[in-house]
Amino acid sequence: MRIFILFFGVMLSFFVHADENISIGAKNVGGQGDCFAGSFTSYDGWKAMLEGKWARAKLSEEKVRDLKGKFSERFPKSDYERYRKTIDCNNFYYKTDGDIYVYGYVIKPKVVDEKLPVLVYNRGGNGNFGAVNFANMVRTLFPLAEKGYVIVGSQYRGTLVDLKEGEPDDEFGGRDINDVRALFDIIPTVEGADASRIGMYGHSRGVMESYVTARSGVPVKSIVAAAGCADLLHELAFRPEMENVYKARIPDYAQKKEAELRKRSVLYWADELAPDVPILLLHGELDKRISVAQSRQLAAKLEELHHPHKLVIYPEDDHSFNQHHDEYLAEIDRWFKQTL
């Protein structure tokens, strides 16, 4: 986990560069700024920033060499330079539930000749852990946007902010669902976005966010669920340490454990999802964070309900689809091309 944070954990500096690069017209949106700013203005600047973090962490020379090699392999300079020329990326903040400030981002091709379908990306993790940073964007979201999508996402409430006592925090599928719902009101004001063609793509915890948001009645036409949990209650047997997250995040968890976890578990109310919204289920066979059995069980339930869906299991792969990443992105692209 420590290496993950040192390699990818650059968040706060990513969300402080506001400028006049405006691409969203919603009145509740502010602080719009270019993602390619600060340390991310150049590839060498990005790399130097990471190397500075590794040096301050006093890692061994062997570990630093390993991290440099992984960085160069996963994030080739040629990819960065191409995205710098072809992708527009803005971060912003927006208000939800009246006066709660939440961070978000919009990613799209620089050249848009016609309105493009929209993907609402729902991230995994909780609180600051798992917040979408520049590396996540380069790895997964920029390649998808390049294929012809406008991508809009929320960091969820309580993320990338210095919370004060009494301020709303991430509820892991509670009122933070309103942060995702609010994006559907912002989308029609995003330049180049076709608000009549919106899909949701969730990863890990973000799959839960997608299902609960879809259940609430937003105008979504298609869903991609990557490495998602369908039954939080019974998944605790596979990964019992997740209960620490639930206790910390979910209000009244001690008194209402079963009820609160069922509210967040699509397996119990899959019949309430719109039957004309197809679902693509993706999972790594060796996922150690969320059992592949979760996607298999939901696929069986959807089959029983005659709900359109497709299940793809990647053999010998993990929670982040690192062994089949290109195939994984291609599958997502094919699905949304067919269903939006």
Side-chain angles (χ1 to χ4, degrees), residues 141-170:
L141 301 184
F142 287 179
L144 280 175
E146 195 176 43
K147 295 178 184 297
Y149 301 98
V150 173
I151 300 176
V152 181
S154 173
Q155 301 285 5
Y156 313 140
R157 63 188 61 195
T159 302
L160 306 177
V161 296
D162 183 15
L163 282 173
K164 299 178 178 62
E165 186 175 354
E167 289 185 338
D169 201 356
D170 179 5

Side-chain angles (χ1 to χ4, degrees), residues 70-269:
K70 288 180 178 178
F71 177 80
S72 298
E73 178 183 359
R74 190 161 292 183
F75 305 103
K77 187 173 184 178
S78 58
D79 285 356
Y80 171 91
E81 297 294 351
R82 187 177 77 255
Y83 296 139
R84 191 79 172 86
K85 294 176 182 177
T86 62
I87 295 295
D88 268 339
C89 178
N90 284 313
N91 53 72
F92 59 90
Y93 63 79
Y94 63 105
K95 282 187 176 183
T96 180
D97 281 354
D99 59 356
I100 299 172
Y101 285 92
V102 182
Y103 283 109
Y105 48 88
V106 58
I107 304 166
K108 60 184 181 177
K110 280 186 181 293
V111 178
V112 179
D113 296 324
E114 58 183 0
K115 288 196 171 185
L116 300 175
V118 180
L119 306 184
V120 173
Y121 177 68
N122 294 321
R123 50 156 278 221
N126 67 96
N128 285 332
F129 175 73
V132 176
N133 58 32
F134 191 74
N136 302 142
M137 291 180 171
V138 174
R139 175 77 166 154
T140 300
L141 301 184
F142 287 179
L144 280 175
E146 195 176 43
K147 295 178 184 297
Y149 301 98
V150 173
I151 300 176
V152 181
S154 173
Q155 301 285 5
Y156 313 140
R157 63 188 61 195
T159 302
L160 306 177
V161 296
D162 183 15
L163 282 173
K164 299 178 178 62
E165 186 175 354
E167 289 185 338
D169 201 356
D170 179 5
E171 294 184 1
F172 205 83
R175 283 175 288 188
D176 46 282
I177 293 300
N178 292 336
D179 305 341
V180 180
R181 285 178 52 83
L183 296 177
F184 285 80
D185 295 324
I186 293 172
I187 286 169
T189 75
V190 176
E191 294 177 2
D194 185 347
S196 69
R197 292 188 291 161
I198 303 176
M200 272 196 292
Y201 160 33
H203 176 255
S204 193
R205 171 260 182 91
V207 171
M208 171 192 66
E209 299 279 335
S210 296
Y211 290 141
V212 178
T213 303
R215 184 191 190 190
S216 74
V218 295
V220 63
K221 290 186 173 296
S222 180
I223 294 173
V224 168
C229 185
D231 184 348
L232 277 69
L233 185 63
H234 288 91
E235 181 68 358
L236 282 173
F238 177 78
R239 195 179 174 206
E241 63 267 28
M242 277 302 296
E243 188 146 39
N244 295 326
V245 174
Y246 301 157
K247 289 177 180 177
R249 297 289 178 192
I250 298 176
D252 302 320
Y253 181 77
Q255 296 76 28
K256 303 177 181 179
K257 172 179 174 177
E258 183 169 345
E260 290 298 325
L261 293 184
R262 281 175 175 265
K263 284 197 303 188
R264 292 160 170 80
S265 300
V266 66
L267 199 65
Y268 297 98
W269 38 262

Side-chain angles (χ1 to χ4, degrees), residues 3-4 38 44 59 80 111 122 135 139 175 228 249 279 291 320:
I3 297 303
F4 178 90
D44 291 340
L59 301 177
Y80 171 91
V111 178
N122 294 321
R139 175 77 166 154
R175 283 175 288 188
R249 297 289 178 192
I279 300 171
S291 169
S320 298

